[in-house]
């Protein structure tokens, strides 16, 4: 299957994770770090998710999934260990026009999550379109050796320089030369 690569701005967008185990936690933390307005629906939570909920950083519904939890959601992740629940989440999302990732069955969702290298604002995403997560991980590990933390620092400096150039040099042609 061919996917359209994109980086989504999830700041303050309502996102839902269905599930409260380790896989759901991993998915939820990425959404949380991206600034999503995050809700989690699950009868139980990992200790880390429980801590975020107790601090009011995420909304927690100690319930089983119901379609009404998708109301207003931009994106959802089905990450339970129950295929029937994950299928129900995927079906409800498709019906309601909500982007959905299904952790255990990527083909059931409307998007997949790539393997990612993060160095500050430098994000390198690797995908095999779900054909070989192991290969994506191997390539990511190789690239992690090439692109160290210094790239994040370099990018911070470049962002400052770019903002200054945009402000002080009106000509796009001159900015490109610089």
């Amino acid at each position: 299957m061919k996917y359209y690569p994109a980086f989504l701005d999830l700041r303050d967008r309502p996102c839902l994770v269905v599930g409260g185990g380790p896989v759901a936690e991993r998915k939820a933390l990425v959404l949380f770090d991206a600034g999503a307005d995050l809700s989690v629906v699950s009868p139980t939570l990992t200790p880390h998710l429980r801590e975020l909920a107790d601090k009011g950083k995420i909304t927690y519904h100690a319930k089983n999934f119901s379609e009404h939890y998708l109301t207003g959601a931009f994106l959802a992740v089905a990450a339970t260990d129950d295929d029937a629940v994950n299928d129900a989440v995927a079906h409800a999302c498709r019906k309601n026009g909500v982007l959905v990732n299904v952790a255990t069955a990527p083909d059931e969702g409307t998007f997949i999550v790539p393997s990612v290298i993060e160095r500050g604002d430098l994000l390198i995403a690797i995908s095999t379109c779900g054909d070989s997560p192991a290969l994506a991980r191997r390539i990511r590990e190789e690239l992690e050796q090439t692109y160290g933390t210094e790239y994040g620092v370099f990018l911070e400096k470049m962002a400052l320089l770019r903002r200054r150039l945009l402000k002080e040099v009106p000509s796009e042609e001159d900015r490109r030369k610089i």
Side-chain angles (χ1 to χ4, degrees):
M1 177 185 285
K2 183 85 171 159
Y3 286 91
Y4 176 76
F7 288 91
L8 301 174
D9 179 359
L10 297 179
R11 289 173 295 178
D12 301 320
R13 287 195 180 257
C15 295
L16 177 71
V17 172
V18 179
V23 173
E25 176 185 293
R26 186 169 39 83
K27 301 276 189 172
L29 292 177
V30 172
L31 294 169
F32 179 77
D33 288 344
D37 178 7
L38 186 60
S39 295
V40 176
V41 174
S42 176
T44 61
L45 287 179
T46 64
H48 192 188
L49 289 176
R50 168 72 65 195
E51 181 182 334
L52 290 173
D54 289 347
K55 291 180 178 178
K57 294 184 176 189
I58 65 171
T59 302
Y60 173 51
H61 304 281
K63 308 267 185 190
N64 290 319
F65 172 73
S66 174
E67 191 171 325
H68 77 276
Y69 289 114
L70 292 172
T71 302
F74 174 74
L75 178 150
V77 175
T80 75
D81 57 5
D82 185 330
D83 290 339
V85 173
N86 291 341
D87 289 345
V89 172
H91 175 75
C93 286
R94 285 192 303 273
K95 180 175 122 184
N96 290 286
V98 176
L99 295 172
V100 63
N101 172 257
V102 181
T104 57
D107 290 343
E108 296 298 317
T110 57
F111 74 97
I112 57 174
V113 179
S115 188
V116 175
I117 299 166
E118 192 172 343
R119 301 293 190 251
D121 283 347
L122 175 64
L123 297 177
I124 302 171
I126 301 103
S127 175
T128 60
C129 294
D131 292 337
S132 179
L135 177 60
R137 182 178 56 247
R138 180 175 166 205
I139 292 169
R140 186 199 74 227
E141 289 169 353
E142 288 174 11
L143 289 172
E144 284 174 333
Q145 300 303 313
T146 302
Y147 297 95
T149 56
E150 67 275 10
Y151 281 84
V153 175
F154 173 75
L155 193 54
E156 282 179 42
K157 294 179 185 308
M158 290 305 295
L160 293 172
L161 179 59
R162 182 172 188 267
R163 283 194 291 276
R164 184 173 169 196
L165 283 173
L166 288 170
K167 191 183 292 183
E168 296 177 11
V169 181
S171 165
E172 184 177 341
E173 185 179 326
D174 290 342
R175 287 193 305 268
R176 284 185 187 188
K177 288 177 186 176
I178 294 171

